[in-house]
């Protein structure tokens, strides 16, 4: 019975990723007394911006392609020109359940890369013109 309990303990120690011994961990290579090892949840790198399109299945392929080239890419290019990073873009529309869409609600979260956790928030409506999604241009207040 003692041998069975010991195997369970060894099994759970192996699952934890770090061995609870007073030497370097095999996984994190830095522990003197083993602590929880940090694991990168994005081993291939985090892809930014994270683009979320509400009810995406109801969009036509043409609208999805136009949103990417005429809205997402110009947004990213604009903020990169200011040395800022677009973190996320959420797109919704006026007709979630149907394929005929006219107006899009676009919400953008941008990091100004200053080490501060306060993001820049941008929200706007983007409407089709003559049935096509136009290229996004930043509007300024004069």
């Amino acid at each position: 019975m003692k041998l069975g309990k010991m195997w369970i303990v060894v099994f759970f120690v192996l699952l934890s990723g770090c061995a609870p011994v007073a030497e370097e961990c095999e996984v994190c290579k830095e522990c003197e007394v083993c602590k929880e090892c940090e694991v990168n949840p994005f081993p291939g790198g985090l892809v930014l911006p994270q683009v979320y399109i509400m009810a995406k299945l109801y969009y036509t392929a043409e609208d999805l392609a136009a949103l990417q080239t005429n809205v997402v890419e110009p947004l990213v290019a604009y903020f990169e020109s200011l040395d800022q990073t677009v973190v996320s873009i959420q797109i919704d529309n006026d007709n979630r359940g149907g394929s005929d869409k006219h107006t899009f609600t676009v919400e953008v979260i941008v990091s100004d890369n200053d080490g501060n956790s306060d993001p820049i928030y941008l929200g706007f409506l983007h409407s089709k013109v003559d049935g096509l999604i136009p290229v996004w241009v930043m509007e300024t207040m004069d």
Side-chain angles (χ1 to χ4, degrees):
M1 194 65 151
K2 282 187 173 185
L3 187 59
K5 288 181 182 180
M6 186 171 82
W7 280 110
I8 292 173
V9 170
V10 170
F11 178 72
F12 283 114
V13 167
L14 291 174
L15 284 180
S16 71
C18 287
V21 295
E23 60 186 60
E24 263 192 7
C25 258
E26 196 56 39
V27 176
C28 59
K29 302 284 187 206
E30 64 184 35
C31 305
E32 185 169 42
V33 174
C34 190
K35 60 183 180 218
E36 193 69 30
C37 296
E38 294 181 23
V39 177
N40 183 358
F42 308 104
L46 177 62
V47 177
L48 293 178
Q50 294 287 299
V51 179
Y52 180 70
I53 300 176
M54 299 284 288
K56 187 176 183 176
L57 292 174
Y58 293 102
Y59 283 75
T60 64
E62 294 81 18
D63 280 351
L64 289 173
L67 284 169
Q68 179 65 35
T69 58
N70 296 343
V71 179
V72 173
E73 291 172 7
L75 270 165
V76 171
Y78 174 79
F79 285 105
E80 281 180 350
S81 74
L82 300 174
D83 292 326
Q84 298 170 337
T85 304
V86 177
V87 176
S88 70
I89 300 172
Q90 179 176 321
I91 300 173
D92 203 349
N93 62 73
D94 60 338
N95 187 9
R96 278 196 190 163
S99 61
D100 189 27
K101 303 183 184 327
H102 303 285
T103 303
F104 303 91
T105 305
V106 182
E107 299 174 44
V108 185
I109 296 178
V110 180
S111 171
D112 57 3
N113 298 322
D114 65 352
N116 190 330
S117 64
D118 292 332
I120 298 167
Y121 176 81
L122 171 68
F124 60 91
L125 292 175
H126 197 70
S127 298
K128 286 184 176 180
V129 176
D130 297 327
L132 301 173
I133 298 172
V135 175
W136 174 84
V137 178
M138 179 61 140
E139 294 181 21
T140 58
M141 294 174 56
D142 294 324

